[in-house]
Amino acid sequence: MVNLLPVIVRELRALSRHSLTYWLRVIGIGAILGVMPLVDLKGAPSELGGRLFSALNATLFLSIWIFVPLLTADTISREKREGTLGLLFLTPLTPIGIVFGKSLIHAVRAITLFLAMLPALALPFLLGGLTWKDCVVSVLLNSSALVLALAAGLLASTLATDSRRALALALVLSCGFAYLFMLVHLRSFYSTLPKFLKLPFSPPTLFTLYLPDNLISKIQLLIGFNTGLGTESYGHYYYGWGRMTPVAGWRFVWLNYPAPFHLAWLRALGWLFFESILGFVAIALLASWRVRQTWRLEPPSLRQARLQRFFCAPRIWKSIFRSKMRGLPARNPIGWLQQYSWSARLVKWGWCLGIVLLECVLVTDRSLSNVWDGQYLLASLLILGVAFTASGSFRQECQTGAMELLLVTPLKVPQILRGRIRGVWGQFLPATVVLALAWLWLLKDASLFAGYDYASDTGHRRVFGIVLPLFFLSSFFLLPGIGLFFSLQRLHFVGAWLLTCVTGLLAPALSCWWMKGSLLSAAGTLFATQFGSALISRILLQRNLTRRSFTLGSA
């Protein structure tokens, strides 16, 4: 511990001056405040506190799984890139000490995100309708999520060296850990329940019988139960032949289940938190082993080079591939820089394969509404991927000095911008085409457009069934320009990505939501705001490149 103290003090001082530390707290409290106007205020006054608490707790729970891995995703990989990880080994520090020291630092950094949201979370208690049990369940679940999210970012930081790959891997690992954690929590709840209820039947021992067959409903159930949202499709209880019927969330548990079960559930949550800590320790030991094995950047070994040639070199249609790659630098040299490597092609066709596989899963669902919800989820993931790629597009050229070389070539600034935007489009074009074809297949039913009423809920769903796919397509075409603008600013990569999403996605959506009048005018405001943001970003981006003002901050 004595050896760790100087490193901890040094890291805390460095992170306290980091702009991302402040901006993440601003984003966290902004997310909490943005959810408050969306809460339904109808119903009894005694239920307002519980309803608001469920919405804010769900926002906090999901924010932990998204933002906390981003805090730790580049912790060790950055030390490795900058060559400072070897200097730490010259001290009495050990790999496990380095890993746990950095974990402790970023745990304190993540706790500040929770403390920034704490004043807003206290408001539901002032409204009433909550018990101390709600607070304990929320603290235990969010603490477990915080520990596992830190583990996801820490593991990603040891598996990847490039900052963008580490961030993407951290988000993927975080989603996997979140799904497993919520599934284990739901299983522990229903495995404890029969011990305290006198049921007229023997509940089935196979836990999967209580879960929906389709993916979207399963995710909705898990998120709703673990956050206490308690809408009609989330909380469940045993009924009939062991199936489950929709009821309220945590409030239903306090009102309808016996008090001994409440204490048993809290004890189960305590054990779940302890198991999360054990999982974090196991992942930290794995990360320390990775740090010991790969503490410095080395060229690929002969075996790795052979494996790369075997799996990544073209095998079929070589002549077509070579002619295409030979003509691409002449047609779009800037876009060729975005797609020439095998890893870029892997990302391109990996997105396409992922969309195809998920669409195959969705079409097996019997409910058409779940298929629609699945399309919205896939479109959101794809657009976030477009923003992720665009906001980090020019960063490598600026950091290596290649940007100055591009600007002294015969290519003009508009040609450079058009080439890079076309390169981003080409990287996500196959996945976008697959998703658009799936949407067209769902829209083939003419009854979706026939005789709808704008004032009715059915009319709203039909209009949004048309507006949201169009918003997805407009985002695909306009978001790369916004992301390129923020990629050249003095911002951390995470900040550039978040600002791209806020400017190109969130701001148009809020302008549409605040717009009073018909749905058509709101849709017009949505597309006009997004087009205006893209146009302003394009003008400012071209001006910055012309003036050579593109000095970057940290990666």
Side-chain angles (χ1 to χ4, degrees):
M1 184 64 186
V2 177
N3 295 331
L4 284 178
L5 187 59
V7 178
I8 292 176
V9 173
R10 175 246 184 189
E11 290 290 332
L12 287 176
R13 287 178 177 174
L15 293 177
S16 65
R17 296 189 294 266
H18 208 291
S19 60
L20 184 62
T21 304
Y22 298 95
W23 279 109
L24 279 178
R25 291 202 291 264
V26 172
I27 293 171
I29 189 62
I32 289 288
L33 296 178
V35 169
M36 286 185 176
L38 303 178
V39 178
D40 186 12
L41 299 179
K42 299 178 182 179
S46 60
E47 298 179 356
L48 295 181
R51 193 179 298 118
L52 181 60
F53 176 79
S54 298
L56 298 183
N57 181 68
T59 305
L60 176 61
F61 184 79
L62 297 177
S63 299
I64 288 174
W65 289 109
I66 295 173
F67 295 120
V68 172
L70 298 179
L71 293 175
T72 57
D74 202 26
T75 302
I76 297 176
S77 58
R78 183 174 182 179
E79 298 275 3
K80 191 186 301 183
R81 287 196 311 272
E82 296 178 352
T84 55
L85 188 58
L87 298 177
L88 295 178
F89 285 110
L90 298 177
T91 67
L93 291 173
T94 60
I96 189 65
I98 295 173
V99 170
F100 274 101
K102 287 186 173 292
S103 302
L104 178 62
I105 294 165
H106 289 282
V108 174
R109 192 183 184 191
I111 290 174
T112 60
L113 177 65
F114 171 75
L115 294 178
M117 300 180 180
L118 191 59
L121 292 173
L123 181 60
F125 290 92
L126 299 178
L127 295 176
L130 294 174
T131 64
W132 63 270
K133 299 175 186 178
D134 293 289
C135 183
V136 172
V137 172
S138 175
V139 169
L140 290 175
L141 286 175
N142 290 323
S143 300
S144 302
L146 179 65
V147 171
L148 293 177
L150 282 171
L154 188 65
L155 182 60
S157 183
T158 59
L159 295 177
T161 303
D162 183 72
S163 60
R164 286 180 292 175
R165 293 179 183 176
L167 292 172
L169 182 59
L171 290 176
V172 172
L173 291 175
S174 179
C175 292
F177 288 175
Y179 182 80
L180 292 177
F181 170 75
M182 292 187 294
L183 194 64
V184 170
H185 174 215
L186 188 63
R187 186 183 186 279
S188 65
F189 178 86
Y190 282 112
S191 62
T192 308
L193 186 58
K195 302 176 184 178
F196 297 89
L197 293 182
K198 296 181 180 180
L199 299 175
F201 56 88
S202 297
T205 57
L206 189 59
F207 171 70
T208 54
L209 293 177
Y210 298 105
L211 293 175
D213 297 331
N214 55 82
L215 179 63
I216 300 300
S217 297
K218 187 181 298 185
I219 294 176
Q220 289 176 343
L221 186 149
L222 291 174
I223 294 177
F225 179 77
N226 285 270
T227 58
L229 287 175
T231 54
E232 292 183 356
S233 59
Y234 295 154
H236 294 78
Y237 70 100
Y238 289 102
Y239 180 77
W241 295 98
R243 304 301 294 176
M244 294 185 290
T245 302
V247 294
W250 297 347
R251 182 179 176 86
F252 180 85
V253 177
W254 312 137
L255 295 179
N256 296 273
Y257 291 163
F261 172 73
H262 301 172
L263 300 179
W265 186 27
L266 295 179
R267 285 195 299 268
L269 288 174
W271 278 108
L272 192 61
F273 175 64
F274 180 71
E275 292 170 357
S276 300
I277 295 178
L278 292 181
F280 173 80
V281 172
I283 292 176
L285 293 175
L286 176 61
S288 64
W289 177 80
R290 286 282 305 172
V291 169
R292 187 183 300 110
Q293 297 295 323
T294 61
W295 61 273
R296 60 182 177 182
L297 291 177
E298 295 181 352
S301 62
L302 180 60
R303 180 183 179 184
Q304 292 174 341
R306 289 176 178 175
L307 291 176
Q308 181 175 334
R309 286 196 301 268
F310 180 79
F311 288 104
C312 303
R315 293 291 177 181
I316 58 175
W317 299 335
K318 293 183 180 180
S319 59
I320 299 177
F321 175 77
R322 289 171 181 171
S323 62
K324 178 183 177 181
M325 296 303 294
R326 191 182 301 114
L328 186 60
R331 297 191 306 269
N332 185 7
I334 307 301
W336 174 81
L337 294 175
Q338 187 81 18
Q339 303 179 15
Y340 76 95
S341 65
W342 66 267
S343 59
R345 296 193 297 271
L346 181 64
V347 171
K348 174 181 179 179
W349 296 109
W351 271 104
C352 183
L353 178 62
I355 295 295
V356 170
L357 294 178
L358 291 175
E359 288 288 358
C360 293
V361 174
L362 289 176
V363 295
T364 60
D365 197 337
R366 299 177 182 177
S367 175
L368 185 60
S369 61
N370 288 329
V371 178
W372 273 108
D373 293 339
Q375 302 305 313
Y376 299 147
L377 177 62
L378 294 181
S380 301
L381 292 177
L382 188 59
I383 289 303
L384 290 177
V386 172
F388 189 90
T389 300
S391 57
S393 183
F394 276 136
R395 303 183 76 85
Q396 186 174 2
E397 286 86 348
C398 293
Q399 292 166 358
T400 58
M403 198 68 198
E404 289 84 352
L405 298 178
L406 291 177
L407 293 175
V408 298
T409 60
L411 294 174
K412 298 180 180 180
V413 171
Q415 292 176 314
I416 295 175
L417 295 181
R418 286 196 301 268
R420 183 49 58 91
I421 291 175
R422 286 167 53 194
V424 176
W425 286 345
Q427 196 164 6
F428 292 90
L429 183 60
T432 304
V433 170
V434 171
L435 192 58
L437 291 176
W439 244 317
L440 290 175
W441 179 77
L442 290 173
L443 291 173
K444 70 182 186 301
D445 189 1
S447 62
L448 183 66
F449 309 97
Y452 57 83
D453 182 11
Y454 289 103
S456 64
D457 292 338
T458 304
H460 286 200
R461 287 194 297 268
R462 288 169 177 170
V463 170
F464 279 106
I466 303 172
V467 172
L468 289 181
L470 293 178
F471 181 63
F472 160 69
L473 291 177
S474 66
S475 300
F476 171 76
F477 287 107
L478 299 178
L479 207 59
I482 301 176
L484 290 179
F485 168 71
F486 287 111
S487 70
L488 295 180
Q489 303 302 306
R490 296 182 61 87
L491 295 168
H492 191 277
F493 172 73
V494 177
W497 180 38
L498 293 177
L499 283 176
T500 301
C501 296
V502 169
T503 305
L505 300 174
L506 184 59
L510 290 179
S511 66
C512 174
W513 181 66
W514 283 329
M515 183 67 183
K516 304 297 182 181
S518 65
L519 287 175
L520 292 179
S521 61
T525 304
L526 174 71
F527 294 113
T529 304
Q530 189 180 44
F531 180 78
S533 301
L535 181 61
I536 294 174
S537 299
R538 176 65 180 271
I539 294 174
L540 294 178
L541 175 61
Q542 185 169 339
R543 186 201 63 178
N544 292 341
L545 284 180
T546 304
R547 296 180 178 180
R548 308 299 196 264
S549 57
F550 47 80
T551 304
L552 290 180
S554 59

